[in-house]
Amino acid sequence: MIKVALNGYGTIGKRVANAIMLQPDMKLIGIAKTSPNYEAFVAQKMGINIYVPQESVKSFDEAGIKVAGNIEDMVKEADIVVDATPNGVGAQYKELYQKFSKNAIFQGGEKANVADVSFSSLCNYNEAIGKKYIRVVSCNTTALLRTICTLNKLSKVEKVRATIVRRAADPKEVKKGPINALVPDPASVPSHHAKDVNTVLKDLDIITMAVIAPTTYMHMHLLNVTLKSQVSKEDVISQFLNTSRFLLVRGKSKVNSTAEIIEVARDLGRIRNDVPEVVIFEDSIYTKGNEVFLMYAVHQESIVVPENIDAIRASLDLASAEDSIKITNTSLNIGKGYLI
Amino acid sequence: MIKVALNGYGTIGKRVANAIMLQPDMKLIGIAKTSPNYEAFVAQKMGINIYVPQESVKSFDEAGIKVAGNIEDMVKEADIVVDATPNGVGAQYKELYQKFSKNAIFQGGEKANVADVSFSSLCNYNEAIGKKYIRVVSCNTTALLRTICTLNKLSKVEKVRATIVRRAADPKEVKKGPINALVPDPASVPSHHAKDVNTVLKDLDIITMAVIAPTTYMHMHLLNVTLKSQVSKEDVISQFLNTSRFLLVRGKSKVNSTAEIIEVARDLGRIRNDVPEVVIFEDSIYTKGNEVFLMYAVHQESIVVPENIDAIRASLDLASAEDSIKITNTSLNIGKGYLI
């Protein structure tokens, strides 16, 4: 059993922590958190060991949350650390992981040079095997890479032109916006997403533009992909239907929005209504010559969770890509086929 | 085992259906639905019998959803029907329930005269025992009644002045608003909620004013209650802490909004993030002489679910108030005390 420590227990961290507890080959030794908010209370209720910076011990004590030790204690005890601290903070913690010679998984909010490799399970698992520091790319980049690498199996992807409509804030965030505007993010082109895709697919011709919209549910991507050869709409549908970590939405199910995707996830009893799969609107898949068009939704809170689990296995050389993806999917109930 | 049929499978219906399946003394014989949308697909996936109006059989067949029969077949087979059809439609179906002499539970969207009694578990369970037609009051009225009847045990409630800030739409609804306005609902005073409370507490002096705000998560009530005698803040807190179907939010847990209440429900693994309890912000409880002030949040999608289950038992005289509430709470994991 691999001993995994989780540094950071926000939107991504708490989900990865839950996912680790569901793996047959991993043990969560604890999580690290800096402020005693409700997420810390939930972790305590679940019996998870909570480690805090030395200077936070007092505030946790006052809140009535039992502290297992400081973050250094946790890192020392681990075989590997998943860093889910806020953007840029992971790079500061890297020193600590190096001090104890621990492997670490970073998130997409860090610069690519924090790690030896940027990672996408369906694109470059093999490249990450044995790497001490791996960076799981961000939610939007994870979705783009899954999609591109899956289409690439049909026919070589030569060009990607993508529009990303981002959610404004996560459901729990009450101080973020916009709440009544569309905001180019940024107004300059390409957006950073294209560059981030290139950290994994180095030679791909990709341009992305992004805009923020006032919603919390999911991001939406509108893609135009040029392939080397002509493919049919049916080929594309069948390729996605047969690839795990994708779900298709049928027109006849009357799921016409991100809100209804989340509602189905709730109705199916998915914990936290998480949808780590890329959810493609089947009716949006369209082909013209060598071009493929499609629209899909990306659940920003959960999409990178399976990739974090795979990255742990790649870093410690615990399993092949195929085996790791299979174990991760089974343990997290990640499907393929139709959403409903 | 009581055979329960569920007519209507939207926001309330699907939750009551799930709740019935969790009761030790009830069996869900099926649900009735008029259009084959994703909720019907989910019901089919869960193995629930789906009944439809004769004229809808074709559209369900075309969607690939198996139909068990028409609504009349379902009603005939049931001991009692829970009607969760849209506002006003329940009254039309009443004829069918009468034709087969079946007891029925209606929702708060119906006029009070649809039933023999309007119902709130904590207020008038005994009055509803053996009644053929019971109307569970709406989400806002359910919350008001629970709160008033609980305070009434401390000291007689003489007057209630309440402001209701309503959510604009449920999370799944994409065509409802407002999305950028505050809308008096209605501008005339009192709003219908006061009148609806009076269907249960007939002589209470209550005035309500309501406004709609652009959010999907929960309603919020801001109450000013005058009691017969003076009580302390501690008395009020302790009264709510010791009454099931209420949860209190501690300031130190840093849950400062409805969004964060829902996030805690997600983190705790609650199905559909449902919070059927009234959630009181502990810090908002304030007393001045005989007056009590408080603010609480109401999860509009799920708060009436336990009351529907209790109403079934009351109608068929299956259990005392105390026993029914206990069975319902245990089966649905409905708590008391602190949210987290």
Side-chain angles (χ1 to χ4, degrees):
Chain A
M1 293 285 263
I2 295 302
K3 292 184 284 181
V4 187
L6 211 310
N7 190 11
Y9 195 71
T11 299
I12 302 298
K14 64 189 179 187
R15 287 175 167 81
V16 175
N18 283 162
I20 289 164
M21 292 193 278
L22 293 170
Q23 301 309 307
D25 52 350
M26 298 178 196
K27 183 180 181 321
L28 180 73
I29 62 164
I31 61 108
K33 189 144 184 47
T34 54
S35 89
N37 73 348
Y38 58 87
E39 287 164 327
F41 281 90
V42 173
Q44 170 158 281
K45 189 164 182 169
M46 289 181 173
I48 296 173
N49 292 325
I50 300 170
Y51 295 84
V52 306
Q54 195 53 45
E55 63 272 23
S56 300
V57 171
K58 202 179 154 213
S59 65
F60 277 76
D61 276 351
E62 283 168 1
I65 296 175
K66 197 169 162 278
V67 169
N70 61 43
I71 298 184
E72 202 164 307
D73 298 331
M74 180 184 80
V75 172
K76 253 189 279 185
E77 213 195 312
D79 295 318
I80 188 166
V81 183
V82 176
D83 183 293
T85 58
N87 293 354
V89 177
Q92 297 167 31
Y93 272 111
K94 188 177 175 187
E95 235 172 78
L96 179 65
Y97 312 146
Q98 285 176 312
K99 180 176 165 190
F100 295 105
S101 191
K102 302 293 182 181
N103 290 29
I105 310 299
F106 296 93
Q107 305 306 311
E110 303 302 319
K111 288 185 182 147
N113 66 12
V114 77
D116 305 317
V117 63
S118 286
F119 179 79
S120 163
S121 299
L122 302 191
C123 293
N124 70 335
Y125 186 100
N126 288 341
E127 199 188 334
I129 289 177
K131 293 286 195 298
K132 201 161 184 71
Y133 302 112
I134 298 177
R135 170 179 169 265
V136 173
V137 293
S138 71
C139 50
N140 281 305
T141 310
T142 294
L144 285 164
L145 284 168
R146 274 193 204 164
T147 304
I148 294 164
C149 289
T150 299
L151 285 172
N152 203 52
K153 287 187 178 168
L154 260 187
S155 167
K156 188 174 163 32
V157 171
E158 302 207 314
K159 195 164 77 175
V160 177
R161 301 293 178 253
T163 299
I164 295 170
V165 184
R166 297 185 52 188
R167 66 88 184 92
D170 285 341
K172 71 173 182 179
E173 294 175 315
V174 298
K175 291 180 177 171
K176 237 177 120 178
I179 57 172
N180 191 29
L182 295 168
V183 183
D185 181 48
S188 62
V189 176
S191 70
H192 75 275
H193 308 92
K195 199 178 148 193
D196 205 24
V197 165
N198 285 143
T199 64
V200 173
L201 302 176
K202 299 190 173 54
D203 302 320
L204 181 69
D205 174 3
I206 176 168
I207 304 288
T208 53
M209 295 191 281
V211 61
I212 307 180
T215 177
T216 66
Y217 291 131
M218 304 176 92
H219 304 300
M220 182 100 72
H221 292 186
L222 302 92
L223 251 63
N224 169 17
V225 179
T226 306
L227 303 175
K228 191 177 174 85
S229 57
Q230 192 166 340
V231 296
S232 72
K233 176 176 171 150
E234 291 66 35
D235 292 337
V236 176
I237 290 175
S238 142
Q239 182 69 16
F240 284 120
L241 277 178
N242 289 306
T243 306
S244 72
R245 303 195 183 172
F246 290 92
L247 292 174
L248 274 72
V249 168
R250 286 186 271 226
K252 73 175 178 184
S253 68
K254 299 186 182 170
V255 172
N256 300 317
S257 67
T258 53
E260 287 149 311
I261 292 170
I262 295 296
E263 185 76 359
V264 172
R266 298 173 80 199
D267 287 350
L268 292 175
R270 288 192 176 214
I271 300 303
R272 293 189 175 103
N273 63 254
D274 282 353
V275 189
E277 301 92 344
V278 169
V279 184
I280 303 173
F281 290 91
E282 186 177 32
D283 290 346
S284 76
I285 296 175
Y286 178 77
T287 56
K288 184 180 186 210
N290 289 11
E291 289 180 279
V292 177
F293 298 80
L294 74 162
M295 295 167 64
Y296 59 80
V298 180
H299 188 229
Q300 78 281 357
E301 297 174 287
S302 66
I303 186 175
V304 300
V305 173
E307 270 69 8
N308 269 276
I309 300 298
D310 291 333
I312 293 170
R313 290 205 187 87
S315 179
L316 296 174
D317 197 3
L318 297 175
S320 67
E322 197 189 351
D323 287 348
S324 178
I325 290 171
K326 208 173 187 177
I327 300 168
T328 304
N329 290 350
T330 305
S331 59
L332 303 182
N333 266 315
I334 292 174
K336 66 178 175 185
Y338 287 103
L339 172 69
I340 188 71
Chain B
M1 292 286 263
I2 297 301
K3 291 185 284 182
V4 188
L6 211 309
N7 191 11
Y9 195 71
T11 299
I12 301 299
K14 64 189 179 186
R15 287 174 167 82
V16 175
N18 283 160
I20 290 165
M21 292 193 279
L22 293 170
Q23 301 310 307
D25 51 351
M26 299 179 195
K27 182 180 181 316
L28 180 72
I29 62 166
I31 62 108
K33 191 147 181 46
T34 53
S35 90
N37 73 348
Y38 58 87
E39 288 165 327
F41 281 91
V42 172
Q44 170 159 282
K45 189 165 181 169
M46 288 181 174
I48 297 173
N49 292 326
I50 300 171
Y51 296 83
V52 307
Q54 196 52 47
E55 63 272 21
S56 300
V57 171
K58 203 180 155 212
S59 65
F60 277 77
D61 276 351
E62 283 168 2
I65 296 174
K66 198 169 163 279
V67 169
N70 61 45
I71 298 184
E72 202 165 306
D73 300 331
M74 180 183 81
V75 171
K76 253 190 278 186
E77 212 196 312
D79 296 318
I80 189 167
V81 182
V82 176
D83 184 292
T85 58
N87 293 353
V89 178
Q92 297 167 32
Y93 272 111
K94 187 177 174 186
E95 234 172 79
L96 180 65
Y97 312 147
Q98 286 176 313
K99 180 175 166 191
F100 295 105
S101 191
K102 302 296 182 182
N103 291 27
I105 310 300
F106 296 93
Q107 305 306 311
E110 303 302 319
K111 288 186 183 145
N113 66 12
V114 77
D116 305 317
V117 63
S118 286
F119 179 79
S120 162
S121 299
L122 302 192
C123 293
N124 70 337
Y125 185 101
N126 289 340
E127 199 187 335
I129 289 176
K131 292 287 194 298
K132 202 162 182 70
Y133 302 112
I134 298 177
R135 170 179 169 268
V136 173
V137 293
S138 71
C139 50
N140 281 306
T141 310
T142 294
L144 284 165
L145 283 167
R146 273 192 205 165
T147 305
I148 294 164
C149 289
T150 299
L151 284 172
N152 202 53
K153 286 187 179 168
L154 260 187
S155 166
K156 187 173 165 32
V157 172
E158 303 208 312
K159 196 164 77 176
V160 177
R161 300 293 177 255
T163 299
I164 296 169
V165 184
R166 297 185 51 188
R167 65 86 184 93
D170 285 340
K172 70 173 182 180
E173 294 175 316
V174 297
K175 291 180 180 173
K176 237 177 120 178
I179 56 173
N180 191 29
L182 295 169
V183 183
D185 182 49
S188 62
V189 176
S191 69
H192 76 275
H193 308 92
K195 199 178 148 193
D196 205 24
V197 165
N198 285 143
T199 64
V200 174
L201 303 176
K202 298 188 173 59
D203 302 320
L204 181 68
D205 174 3
I206 176 170
I207 304 288
T208 53
M209 295 191 281
V211 62
I212 308 179
T215 176
T216 65
Y217 290 132
M218 304 176 93
H219 305 300
M220 182 100 72
H221 292 187
L222 302 91
L223 251 62
N224 169 16
V225 179
T226 306
L227 302 175
K228 192 177 173 85
S229 56
Q230 191 166 343
V231 296
S232 71
K233 177 176 171 152
E234 290 65 36
D235 292 337
V236 177
I237 291 175
S238 142
Q239 182 69 16
F240 285 119
L241 276 179
N242 288 305
T243 306
S244 72
R245 304 197 181 171
F246 289 92
L247 292 174
L248 274 73
V249 168
R250 286 185 271 227
K252 73 175 180 184
S253 68
K254 299 186 184 171
V255 172
N256 300 317
S257 67
T258 53
E260 286 150 313
I261 292 169
I262 296 296
E263 185 76 0
V264 171
R266 297 172 82 199
D267 287 351
L268 292 175
R270 288 192 175 213
I271 300 303
R272 294 188 172 104
N273 64 255
D274 282 353
V275 189
E277 300 92 345
V278 170
V279 184
I280 303 173
F281 289 91
E282 186 177 33
D283 290 346
S284 76
I285 296 174
Y286 178 77
T287 57
K288 183 180 185 210
N290 290 9
E291 289 180 278
V292 177
F293 299 80
L294 73 162
M295 296 166 65
Y296 58 81
V298 180
H299 187 229
Q300 77 281 359
E301 298 174 287
S302 66
I303 185 174
V304 300
V305 173
E307 270 69 9
N308 270 276
I309 299 298
D310 291 333
I312 294 170
R313 291 206 187 87
S315 178
L316 297 173
D317 197 4
L318 298 175
S320 68
E322 197 189 350
D323 287 348
S324 177
I325 290 170
K326 207 172 186 176
I327 300 168
T328 304
N329 290 350
T330 305
S331 59
L332 303 182
N333 265 317
I334 292 175
K336 66 178 175 184
Y338 288 104
L339 172 70
I340 189 71

